[in-house]
Amino acid sequence: PGDACPQRAEVSRQASSCLMQAAEGALSSSEEGSSLDEPTWVSWFCMLRNHEFFCEVDPSFVQDRFNLYGLKELVGPLYGEAMTMILGYAPTEKQLADPTQRVHKVLDTARILYGLIHARYILTAQGLSDMKAKYKAHEFGACPRTLCDKQVVLPVGLSDTHSTSNENPLKLFCPRCQELYDHNVPGGNYIDGAFFGSTYPHLFLQTFREVRPPPPTQRYVPRVFGFKIAKVEEQALQNTAREEWPKRLKNEPVSDWDS
């Protein structure tokens, strides 16, 4: 318990540092634009480097208190300031340049709050539709498995609870081979899986059945000097029982909605 607070502070510092670097890059690239075209915070956040998977949550969804149930307790004392930031405009370059300004703490809280709101939004009809546009545009990338023939993947989290120690990184789910893969973010920026949740890809495929790919028609066959492995050994490998993963602890809530 004594080491938990320093560890949590370090994780928060690293996440905030990554966000600051991306933010400064986004602001410098937008300096050529007119000040009259000041982006909203949500648009700015979704345009940051490595944030391509996020969609812009409708302001009316953010302002509906029903959709925010339970988040205040999860986010902490800066909830109000973070919400004001999310519903406002992007921070200025001057604000981001001074590390002593309170905006940095609020920005890190806003990142977490928006991520948790985003996970709820993409389960709505409008959110699913917004993510479908990204899916059809191949914005989530392709399955690394050769025999999946570049099947488009979907973002997923292994837990619906935000991790303070980088233990719930975003994963990629392939609808064709039904397997999970690491999301190798350039620069190592950490994106929490709770910002997309464990339900999204499966609800997406149930909702838009027309985009569900057929199962793989080819299977890799191991060979030794050109000969297939004996059928007995191959059958034993196929019959090996697979355990459910990730396992859920007894009495663990399925999501933040159930806590």
Side-chain angles (χ1 to χ4, degrees):
D3 297 331
C5 290
Q7 182 183 23
R8 184 178 304 173
E10 176 62 18
V11 170
S12 178
R13 186 194 65 77
Q14 292 177 355
S16 180
S17 176
C18 290
L19 188 59
M20 290 306 110
Q21 292 175 8
E24 290 167 1
L27 285 172
S28 62
S29 64
S30 62
E31 284 180 348
E32 298 177 359
S34 169
S35 59
L36 297 177
D37 298 327
E38 184 179 6
T40 64
W41 187 93
V42 172
S43 296
W44 168 82
F45 179 83
C46 293
M47 289 188 296
L48 295 179
R49 184 173 67 249
N50 300 327
H51 282 198
E52 297 83 1
F53 288 7
F54 288 95
C55 67
E56 295 190 23
V57 177
D58 191 290
S60 62
F61 184 89
V62 179
Q63 294 172 328
D64 189 334
R65 291 187 177 182
F66 176 79
N67 300 324
L68 309 177
Y69 178 77
L71 294 183
K72 186 174 183 179
E73 292 72 22
L74 292 174
V75 172
L78 294 179
Y79 172 86
E81 293 179 71
M83 180 58 69
T84 300
M85 176 178 281
I86 290 173
L87 293 173
Y89 292 95
T92 64
E93 186 175 7
K94 182 178 180 181
Q95 288 176 314
L96 294 176
D98 185 358
T100 63
Q101 287 208 27
R102 185 179 178 83
V103 67
H104 288 265
K105 291 184 178 180
V106 178
L107 184 57
D108 188 51
T109 302
R111 172 186 65 86
I112 297 172
L113 178 58
Y114 183 79
L116 296 176
I117 294 174
H118 179 269
R120 297 181 177 187
Y121 176 71
I122 60 177
L123 300 183
T124 66
Q126 183 59 52
L128 286 168
S129 179
D130 292 348
M131 295 295 274
K132 182 182 181 182
K134 287 180 169 290
Y135 177 84
K136 296 184 74 173
H138 293 205
E139 292 187 24
F140 301 134
C143 178
R145 181 176 179 271
T146 301
L147 297 180
C148 280
D149 196 25
K150 300 188 183 302
Q151 168 63 43
V152 180
V153 293
L154 291 163
V156 65
L158 300 183
S159 171
D160 296 315
T161 303
H162 171 253
S163 171
T164 58
S165 54
N166 290 10
E167 294 178 350
N168 183 30
L170 182 68
K171 301 290 184 180
L172 301 175
F173 173 76
C174 175
R176 188 182 293 273
C177 66
Q178 305 280 304
E179 292 291 349
L180 284 178
Y181 299 92
D182 289 336
H183 176 43
N184 297 315
V185 186
N189 290 5
Y190 174 79
I191 297 178
D192 201 289
F195 297 166
F196 291 84
S198 59
T199 296
Y200 162 67
H202 316 298
L203 179 61
F204 178 87
L205 295 171
Q206 288 291 327
T207 303
F208 304 114
R209 292 179 176 269
E210 71 277 9
V211 304
R212 293 170 64 177
T217 57
Q218 294 178 301
R219 182 172 61 88
Y220 175 72
V221 179
R223 297 175 183 270
V224 175
F225 297 118
F227 297 97
K228 292 183 181 180
I229 295 177
K231 287 188 177 181
V232 176
E233 294 183 22
E234 186 178 356
Q235 193 65 37
L237 289 174
Q238 292 179 355
N239 293 337
T240 300
R242 292 189 177 185
E243 296 182 0
E244 179 183 350
W245 186 85
K247 289 185 176 180
R248 293 193 181 277
L249 299 176
K250 194 173 183 181
N251 299 325
E252 178 187 11
V254 175
S255 70
D256 292 331
W257 295 84
D258 300 321
S259 57

